Amino acid sequence: MADPYSTLGVAKSASEAEIKSAYRKLAKELHPDKNKDNPKASEKFSDVTKAYDILSDKTKRAQFDRGEIDGEGNPAMPFGYGGGGGFRGDQRTGPGGFSGFGNESSDFGDIFEGLFGRGGGGSGGGPFGGFGGRSAPPQKGANVAYRLSVSFIDAATQAPQRIALADGATIDLKLPAGVETGTQMRLAGKGQAGPGGTGDGIVTITVKDHPFYEREGANIRLDLPVTLNEAVKGAKIKVPTVDGPVMLSIPAGSSSGKVMRLKGKGFSQKSGGRGDQLVRLMVDLPADDEALIKLLTEWTDPRDVRAELGV
């Protein structure tokens, strides 16, 4: 069974941040959209997702470290002998239907005596007298991995998303606050059926890039072109946001690079509320405009605008 630490390439002592960073790097490299002609990459992507599902959950990570679950998140058989409802060895069947351990004369009483001591403080005779006859609980069905690609604007505004499940059903999902590429959502009971219950669906989200918005934490950055007239005289102009266009007042005498803030127009945050949209003004000058060239020929800016740079 795969070790999730090895799958992600991190040490057992890795922090949550190191685990998340390793997962995001591998997810980007192995994402099926980038490896359409490489089925092995898709398999590795699924393995990486399963490993992150365990290590990103504090409870599951602790259970794995204690040997209570395996690399798939399923309950482990006692003493590490797991497998298919019995003890696995060389597949030769011994007395009572148990598989042998490479020696048909092996006595399970000797094995458990070595673990617990003869009698073990329990009652009753037989090789399992001190063990109480307990067996591993029935295993849940396997989890099913899903991938969901979300537009930049939908991620910022937490727009509902529809996803098709393996059984053909469709459900609507509400994106969590702070959603980003690599975020996972758990769909309880939407995995495969098993004797111990149904597994879960694990949805891994990819947030698409946008042609002119750029994410910076919970904030969104936008470079906004403005004319020389608007920068010099000031103006009220329409600005795009993820919620739709809004009007922004540009102060007179604004320079290229000036940043203006639109409150609450960024991404949703886990702590509540939303980030802001940071609008950087970029003065866009026309090329070879004779009237502008003539105007500037007759006017010169007397300031030493690079004095503070020492040049």
Side-chain angles (χ1 to χ4, degrees), residues 24-85:
R24 292 187 65 179
K25 180 181 178 181
L26 290 170
K28 288 181 180 179
E29 292 176 359
L30 301 171
H31 198 282
D33 290 345
K34 294 183 178 180
N35 299 274
K36 295 181 179 179
D37 299 325
N38 185 359
K40 290 186 177 180
S42 180
E43 293 177 9
K44 290 182 179 179
F45 180 84
S46 179
D47 292 340
V48 166
T49 299
K50 291 177 182 177
Y52 183 70
D53 177 47
I54 290 176
L55 299 187
S56 63
D57 185 309
K58 291 182 179 180
T59 300
K60 287 186 176 181
R61 182 178 181 181
Q63 289 176 328
F64 178 81
D65 290 345
R66 293 193 298 265
E68 296 173 4
I69 60 174
D70 60 21
E72 297 284 341
N74 297 317
M77 290 293 287
F79 316 113
Y81 288 114

Side-chain angles (χ1 to χ4, degrees), residues 135-197:
S135 60
Q139 293 189 3
K140 288 181 63 175
N143 293 337
V144 176
Y146 296 95
R147 294 184 295 273
L148 178 62
S149 185
V150 180
S151 74
F152 186 97
I153 292 177
D154 281 356
T157 58
Q158 292 181 274
Q161 303 294 305
R162 178 162 292 183
I163 186 171
L165 303 180
D167 61 4
T170 58
I171 60 173
D172 291 330
L173 300 179
K174 176 176 174 56
L175 297 175
V179 63
E180 60 184 353
T181 293
T183 294
Q184 291 190 323
M185 298 179 66
R186 181 178 294 275
L187 308 179
K190 298 301 182 182
Q192 295 182 5

Side-chain angles (χ1 to χ4, degrees), residues 12-267:
K12 198 168 184 179
S13 59
S15 65
E16 293 182 16
E18 290 171 330
I19 290 171
K20 183 175 182 179
S21 176
Y23 168 71
R24 292 187 65 179
K25 180 181 178 181
L26 290 170
K28 288 181 180 179
E29 292 176 359
L30 301 171
H31 198 282
D33 290 345
K34 294 183 178 180
N35 299 274
K36 295 181 179 179
D37 299 325
N38 185 359
K40 290 186 177 180
S42 180
E43 293 177 9
K44 290 182 179 179
F45 180 84
S46 179
D47 292 340
V48 166
T49 299
K50 291 177 182 177
Y52 183 70
D53 177 47
I54 290 176
L55 299 187
S56 63
D57 185 309
K58 291 182 179 180
T59 300
K60 287 186 176 181
R61 182 178 181 181
Q63 289 176 328
F64 178 81
D65 290 345
R66 293 193 298 265
E68 296 173 4
I69 60 174
D70 60 21
E72 297 284 341
N74 297 317
M77 290 293 287
F79 316 113
Y81 288 114
F87 292 89
R88 292 187 300 184
D90 64 359
Q91 305 305 316
R92 290 179 292 178
T93 303
F98 288 94
S99 297
F101 287 84
N103 182 349
E104 291 181 293
S105 63
S106 294
D107 186 346
F108 280 92
D110 293 338
I111 295 171
F112 283 91
E113 178 186 342
L115 292 171
F116 301 104
R118 187 172 298 277
S123 60
F128 298 103
F131 189 55
R134 297 176 61 186
S135 60
Q139 293 189 3
K140 288 181 63 175
N143 293 337
V144 176
Y146 296 95
R147 294 184 295 273
L148 178 62
S149 185
V150 180
S151 74
F152 186 97
I153 292 177
D154 281 356
T157 58
Q158 292 181 274
Q161 303 294 305
R162 178 162 292 183
I163 186 171
L165 303 180
D167 61 4
T170 58
I171 60 173
D172 291 330
L173 300 179
K174 176 176 174 56
L175 297 175
V179 63
E180 60 184 353
T181 293
T183 294
Q184 291 190 323
M185 298 179 66
R186 181 178 294 275
L187 308 179
K190 298 301 182 182
Q192 295 182 5
T198 305
D200 300 330
I202 307 297
V203 182
T204 302
I205 295 173
T206 300
V207 178
K208 299 177 183 177
D209 292 332
H210 194 274
F212 47 83
Y213 293 130
E214 183 177 344
R215 183 172 184 174
E216 188 178 83
N219 294 331
I220 295 174
R221 285 193 170 274
L222 169 70
D223 285 346
L224 181 69
V226 295
T227 66
L228 181 61
N229 297 68
E230 292 168 337
V232 172
K233 298 180 181 179
K236 285 188 175 182
I237 59 177
K238 189 179 292 186
V239 179
T241 76
V242 293
D243 298 309
V246 299
M247 298 303 295
L248 178 65
S249 294
I250 306 297
S254 293
S255 300
S256 256
K258 180 180 179 64
V259 177
M260 304 187 70
R261 185 180 297 268
L262 295 174
K263 291 281 189 180
K265 295 299 182 182
F267 271 74

